[in-house]
Amino acid sequence: DVKVTQSSRYLVKRTGEKVFLECVQDMDHENMFWYRQDPGLGLRLIYFSYDVKMKEKGDIPEGYSVSREKKERFSLILESASTNQTSMYLCASRSDRVEQYFGPGTRLTVT
Amino acid sequence: KQEVTQIPAALSVPEGENLVLNCSFTDSAIYNLQWFRQDPGKGLTSLLLIQSSQREQTSGRLNASLDKSSGRSTLYIAASQPGDSATYLCAVMGTGNMLTFGGGTRLMVKP
């Protein structure tokens, strides 16, 4: 079974804190993705990576950065968390043009 | 730009009914279409993937069809059960090698 895991299911952080969300996949997928999901706005792509040390901006990259030092791990970084970054964060992975798999999600609350 | 629409946004049916969820997309130049299920507060679970050369895929009580020329896909659920209650999302992969998601259909199956 393909497995995508995320470091936390729930996270509460304070405004201004630096936040790390980690994602690990065990299927040797080249492509990894970070989305956020908000009621009424659906899934929005933040960043993606198609190879180690490669990254591309998605639709809403502002306020976020990413790191991919190893093929199986893709980290999302909130440099200075703000309340408007309270959201559900979803990581996903896949090989090219085939089935995409998602992690369980991290519910982040910024107070 | 690809747009994916799912109608209806919400659906409530009695247990045992057969039902159809609809997905439409504006650009027929797609590689594949994927159906997902999402339970409240959880990640997305892949249900079915249809490649652009295929007309349908089946998994258990689920059957997904694809009509690329008309920009439509349907997810047929046979003999619905309360455990089928969830949000169902479709996503298409276009020439940019990225998934574009619909807004989802929230399904409730009443006992």
Side-chain angles (χ1 to χ4, degrees), chain A residues 13-21 65 77-81:
Chain A
K13 295 293 182 180
R14 294 196 172 184
T15 300
E17 278 193 82
K18 191 169 186 176
V19 181
F20 293 87
L21 303 182
S65 62
I77 303 153
L78 287 65
E79 295 289 343
S80 177

Side-chain angles (χ1 to χ4, degrees), chain B residues 68-110:
Chain B
K68 215 173 65 160
S69 60
S70 68
R72 293 177 187 274
S73 175
T74 61
L75 180 67
Y76 175 83
I77 302 177
S80 60
Q81 302 170 359
D84 295 329
S85 298
T87 297
Y88 291 81
L89 296 105
C90 72
V92 298
M93 182 176 296
T95 53
N97 202 26
M98 303 300 296
L99 284 180
T100 301
F101 288 84
T105 294
R106 192 169 63 253
L107 173 67
M108 177 169 291
V109 181
K110 296 181 177 178

Side-chain angles (χ1 to χ4, degrees), chain A residues 9-10 31 33 35 37 42-43 45 48 88 90 94 96-105 107, chain B residues 31-32 34 36 38 41-49 51 89 93 95 97-99 101-103:
Chain A
R9 290 299 312 277
Y10 301 95
N31 304 293
F33 307 84
Y35 297 86
Q37 186 177 34
L43 276 152
L45 181 65
F48 65 99
M88 170 70 97
L90 294 164
R94 64 171 162 84
D96 278 341
R97 300 177 188 172
V98 293
E99 201 164 2
Q100 184 158 311
Y101 297 92
F102 280 81
R107 170 72 65 184
Chain B
Y31 288 117
N32 58 53
Q34 196 168 354
F36 295 90
Q38 186 176 31
K42 302 282 181 67
L44 278 66
T45 299
S46 178
L47 297 173
L48 289 163
L49 173 76
Q51 299 291 352
L89 296 105
M93 182 176 296
T95 53
N97 202 26
M98 303 300 296
L99 284 180
F101 288 84

Side-chain angles (χ1 to χ4, degrees), chain B residues 2 8 11 13 16 22-24 27 36 39 41-42 46-47 50 52 61 65 67 75 79 85 91 94 98 102 107:
Chain B
Q2 179 76 267
L11 184 63
V13 300
N22 296 296
C23 172
S24 62
D27 185 351
F36 295 90
D39 294 290
K42 302 282 181 67
S46 178
L47 297 173
I50 311 178
S52 61
R61 294 183 293 109
S65 68
D67 184 343
L75 180 67
S85 298
M98 303 300 296
L107 173 67

